[in-house]
Amino acid sequence: MPLSRRHFLRASAAAVVLAPLAPSLAACAAPEDVPKVEFGAKLPVPPLDAGTVDSAGGSPVRTFHLAPQAGTHEFVAGKAADTMGYNGAYLGPTLRASRGEKVRVVVENRLTEETTVHFHGVQLPAAADGGPHAMIAAGATASPEWTFDQPAATLWYHPHPHGNTEKQVGLGLAGLFLVDEAAPPSWGAATLPHEYGVDDIPLIVQDRRLDSSGRITFDPSGNSIGTLGNSIAANGVLGAVLPVTTQRVRLRILNASAGRWFRFGFADHRRFHMVASDGGLLAAPLELDAVQLSPAERAEIVVEMAPGESVMLKSFAPDLGRVNPADAFGGGREFDVVRLDAATTLTPSAALPAALAELAAPPDTRVATSRSFTFSGRQINGKTMDMNRIDFTAAPGGAEVWYVDNVNAFQHNLHIHGVQFRLLDIDGAAPPPERAGWKDTIPLMPRERNRLAFRMPRYADSQYPYMFHCHLLTHEDQGMMGQFVVADGSAPAAAAGAAGSAGAGTGSQHAH
């Protein structure tokens, strides 16, 4: 059985002391001032791409086309920055499909370097997941396909080349992937704002580290959590303004930053309702005055506006747990993100429902396979990523309970590919309600243990692995990642294209 919390901390004290010190010491340098930004540029809305449906083979397939490519983009007027984008110079279109549909994404790599496209939060076969074993060479094309079988949610896509993810995501390779229910619900979610670009707005938020020429720069060794920028872009624009024409507006917020935490709320501290997290709708609207997101987390919120008013969506100083000083780890700072300007006359919106969805229960932990993971420095259970090592093999659809400990004095987070999970408790206490829904990414605060439960993907594949890793992109690039395969049998398998044999399992496993 896993160690108790008290015994775990006693056993891991040495690991805390021996965690990498150089990055932490570098983190104590005084942070740069937040640059003054004038708000006035209209918030761009990524184009909505519903793909094309082809029924030539008898079974309809919704096909999308993505072309990662180089370009230039102006964060600062008159100063062009080298960037990357999908089907354009920066970011990518919002893809949209429905539950039950078979989809295909044709990826034509127009970059001069190899890349992948990972479908973050999507429950799909490992061969289509777009992890670091699914590299697409410059000039090559790949066509992953799968059938959506998960609730409506705000998902996203981005590259996942091992050792080069921070650069490619940081230069702009990211976009949303929305999945809808097959038929509009007759209750609950049916009354949520849902007209894309009008009262249902995608909001991709990134901190940018810009030099004096307005170009994106990186500093992965500058502190313990990687590159931190003090310019905040919303859908690629600094100082963006969202014109609001309806009484209520739904914001689908993605923290697409490499390492910065955001705590989103409004400058006047008005209350709003969170209606969905990573994996889809919450059971009921959750009234909040702020919601905190670590890198890769999503939250859908609905805010009510009055005719003619303006209000700033901000990031307040995030709660980073026991870190000290907070400034050294991306805390202690507030940022203006996007200003909402309401028209003098607003179209009425339906009232929010009392209930949104019936959430499926997590698997019974009493019959689950239990695994323990310790996050420290740039390692998980004392190991860094090895493309030739499969850390463990799991049964298709098998129930799992994971104990995940961060023994560092700074924050990490956890993303698991191919699944949505439920956070059961943090140090034995119930999680905050905004993390009580289905999740694919959670924060790992300093010296905390998180316990979560889920079912493994049902797709058996002994060749292609799924990843689990810290989604602070510097940590990920530097090896804070493991991999597992879902296959019948219990013997570890070799990863796709691996030159060597599988190593010993990373997860400490306990059968309940």
Side-chain angles (χ1 to χ4, degrees):
M1 294 294 293
L3 294 173
S4 70
R5 178 67 182 162
R6 182 181 63 184
H7 290 158
F8 171 81
L9 288 178
R10 187 177 298 164
S12 61
V16 175
V17 173
L18 296 175
L21 295 178
S24 299
L25 293 173
C28 295
E32 298 176 5
D33 291 334
V34 178
K36 179 68 175 176
V37 174
E38 297 295 330
F39 279 75
K42 184 177 180 181
L43 177 76
V45 176
L48 183 63
D49 183 358
T52 58
V53 178
D54 180 10
S55 301
S59 177
V61 179
R62 188 173 295 276
T63 300
F64 302 92
H65 290 82
L66 292 177
Q69 58 197 67
T72 59
H73 178 78
E74 291 187 2
F75 294 98
V76 180
K79 297 182 177 182
D82 292 331
T83 55
M84 293 179 178
Y86 294 103
N87 303 355
Y90 193 75
L91 298 179
T94 298
L95 310 184
R96 193 163 207 164
S98 294
R99 189 176 190 175
E101 285 190 313
K102 184 176 183 179
V103 301
R104 177 184 300 120
V105 183
V106 180
V107 183
E108 178 192 352
N109 184 6
R110 297 179 185 171
L111 300 171
T112 58
E113 62 192 61
E114 59 185 0
T115 190
T116 77
V117 179
H118 167 52
F119 301 101
H120 185 120
V122 182
Q123 296 170 281
L124 76 177
D129 178 66
H133 293 283
M135 301 301 292
I136 308 169
T141 299
S143 300
E145 58 182 55
W146 69 91
T147 298
F148 266 114
D149 186 17
Q150 62 189 101
T154 298
L155 313 171
W156 66 301
Y157 60 94
H158 62 81
H160 210 299
H162 184 42
N164 203 31
T165 297
E166 181 179 14
K167 173 195 168 188
Q168 291 193 356
V169 175
L171 288 176
L173 289 178
L176 294 185
F177 204 143
L178 309 184
V179 56
D180 300 314
E181 294 296 342
S186 58
W187 62 283
T191 60
L192 293 177
H194 59 270
E195 187 174 354
Y196 184 86
V198 178
D199 61 359
D200 187 352
I201 309 296
L203 198 59
I204 301 174
V205 182
Q206 306 158 295
D207 65 333
R208 307 284 73 182
R209 191 174 189 270
L210 305 176
D211 65 13
S212 59
S213 299
R215 295 172 297 190
I216 298 173
T217 62
F218 299 92
D219 185 22
S221 61
N223 58 64
S224 293
I225 62 171
T227 299
L228 291 173
N230 280 346
S231 296
I232 307 301
N235 294 349
V237 170
L238 311 183
V241 174
L242 171 63
V244 176
T245 59
T246 57
Q247 179 188 7
R248 293 183 178 88
V249 63
R250 176 185 192 174
L251 303 177
R252 298 178 185 252
I253 305 174
L254 161 66
N255 180 356
S257 299
R260 185 177 292 282
W261 261 239
F262 292 111
R263 185 168 174 263
F264 293 104
F266 293 92
D268 60 0
H269 302 286
R270 70 180 60 196
R271 308 286 284 180
F272 58 86
H273 287 89
M274 180 176 172
V275 296
S277 58
D278 301 344
L281 294 171
L282 303 178
L286 176 62
E287 187 175 355
L288 300 170
D289 60 10
V291 59
Q292 184 160 300
L293 300 179
S294 69
E297 288 187 284
R298 287 89 66 208
E300 298 181 32
I301 69 171
V302 176
V303 60
E304 185 169 343
M305 300 286 289
E309 72 171 342
S310 292
V311 65
M312 184 70 73
L313 176 69
K314 297 179 64 70
S315 174
F316 296 101
D319 177 3
L320 301 179
R322 299 178 175 93
V323 301
N324 186 34
D327 277 0
F329 302 91
R333 289 301 180 94
E334 295 187 357
F335 299 95
D336 292 337
V337 178
V338 61
R339 195 178 76 214
L340 282 65
D341 286 355
T344 55
T345 301
L346 297 176
T347 301
S349 302
L352 290 182
L356 292 169
E358 296 180 5
L359 298 188
D364 187 345
T365 59
R366 294 171 299 179
V367 295
T369 296
S370 176
R371 305 182 198 274
S372 297
F373 300 91
T374 300
F375 280 54
S376 179
R378 301 296 187 268
Q379 297 181 326
I380 302 176
N381 286 359
K383 298 178 181 179
T384 55
M385 173 66 175
D386 182 344
M387 292 281 284
N388 296 326
R389 185 191 72 237
I390 296 300
D391 294 301
F392 62 89
T393 298
E400 299 264 329
V401 58
W402 285 19
Y403 296 79
V404 186
D405 291 272
N406 174 12
V407 301
N408 284 132
F410 53 88
Q411 68 270 33
H412 294 291
N413 73 357
L414 167 71
H415 170 51
I416 308 174
H417 287 211
V419 305
Q420 293 287 336
F421 54 78
R422 294 287 289 277
L423 178 58
L424 302 179
D425 54 61
I426 303 171
D427 285 341
E434 60 268 30
R435 284 185 239 162
W438 288 98
K439 299 280 292 173
D440 53 55
T441 308
I442 53 170
L444 302 177
M445 293 305 190
R447 318 287 173 77
E448 283 187 350
R449 163 171 284 190
N450 287 255
R451 186 171 68 105
L452 52 101
F454 62 96
R455 288 197 177 276
M456 280 289 174
R458 68 178 189 274
Y459 310 100
D461 187 334
S462 61
Q463 183 181 15
Y464 282 94
Y466 294 98
M467 306 291 121
F468 60 99
H469 59 87
C470 181
H471 215 287
L472 276 65
L473 299 185
T474 292
H475 294 188
E476 176 183 333
D477 279 346
Q478 293 178 356
M480 201 166 200
M481 180 161 55
Q483 52 189 354
F484 62 92
V485 295
V486 174
D488 296 318
S490 59
S501 60
T506 289
S508 301
Q509 183 172 319
H510 310 270
H512 281 189

